[in-house]
Amino acid sequence: MVRILSVGLIVSTIALVAWGVITGYDNFLSVGRMWQTPGIKPYENPIPVMAAGSMPVNGGEALFRSAAAEEIAAPFPLNETAAIASGKIAYQYYCIHCHGKNFDGYGTVGQSFAPPPGDLRSNRIQSMPEGVLFKEISYGIPGGRQPALDTTMAVEDRWHAIAYVKSLGQRQ
């Protein structure tokens, strides 16, 4: 009988410690669980199917890809309040997993990278021309960890995310 009680007490203690560790992780660490982030949801709107034989008359991804980064400019002022608000939503959907809620590269996914993703409030990022940021977000960074998001994010969402990141300012 003592042996059964001892085993039960040990199992209960282990379960209680495991619960405490998981609860402590959720409550005290600055990074959260992946399932808590807003981007981990099924796409709710299907991608519209383009009519056969159609092609863009102006604009299009090929023009951005072939242009020099210095020649690319946002189609709207990056300091517009509506653009920044939309950029915050785009950031939370596409970027927060790697760059984190503090923009320092320690998101739920980014914390496992060595080195971590770039600090979006660093002098390097904040002083970077908007066209260079657009190309890095769109087509990735050669030799870096930034994935190409041109097939994932709409062009407008990329510009909104840039407006939001630029609105954060440099880390003090």
Side-chain angles (χ1 to χ4, degrees):
M1 184 70 176
V2 172
R3 184 179 284 174
I4 293 173
L5 280 162
S6 297
V7 169
L9 184 60
I10 290 171
V11 168
S12 299
T13 303
I14 291 172
L16 188 60
V17 167
W19 177 81
V21 168
I22 291 171
T23 303
Y25 177 85
D26 287 343
N27 293 333
F28 300 115
L29 291 179
S30 63
V31 294
R33 299 253 184 206
M34 186 177 281
W35 55 267
Q36 292 173 318
T37 57
I40 305 297
K41 295 180 182 176
Y43 289 98
E44 296 181 13
N45 297 326
I47 297 174
V49 177
M50 190 180 283
S54 62
M55 58 190 292
V57 177
N58 59 12
E61 201 64 49
L63 295 177
F64 289 124
R65 188 179 291 273
S66 63
E70 297 76 27
E71 297 173 3
I72 300 174
F76 51 81
L78 292 179
N79 58 359
E80 284 182 353
T81 307
I84 293 169
S86 294
K88 182 176 182 178
I89 293 168
Y91 178 85
Q92 290 174 343
Y93 196 79
Y94 297 105
C95 312
I96 198 168
H97 314 295
C98 291
H99 292 283
K101 64 183 179 182
N102 297 322
F103 319 103
D104 55 3
Y106 290 100
T108 53
V109 175
Q111 65 183 334
S112 64
F113 293 157
D119 183 351
L120 298 179
R121 295 188 64 196
S122 70
N123 181 43
R124 184 182 80 79
I125 299 294
Q126 290 297 316
S127 63
M128 191 178 287
E130 60 192 48
V132 174
L133 266 174
F134 182 83
K135 284 197 88 153
E136 285 190 0
I137 291 169
S138 299
Y139 313 116
I141 301 173
R145 293 202 182 273
Q146 173 65 42
L149 297 176
D150 60 328
T151 59
T152 306
M153 287 179 83
V155 172
E156 191 171 288
D157 285 341
R158 286 179 255 164
W159 284 118
H160 288 157
I162 291 169
Y164 178 63
V165 167
K166 288 287 194 174
S167 76
L168 299 172
Q170 192 170 338
R171 192 176 305 280
Q172 299 300 326

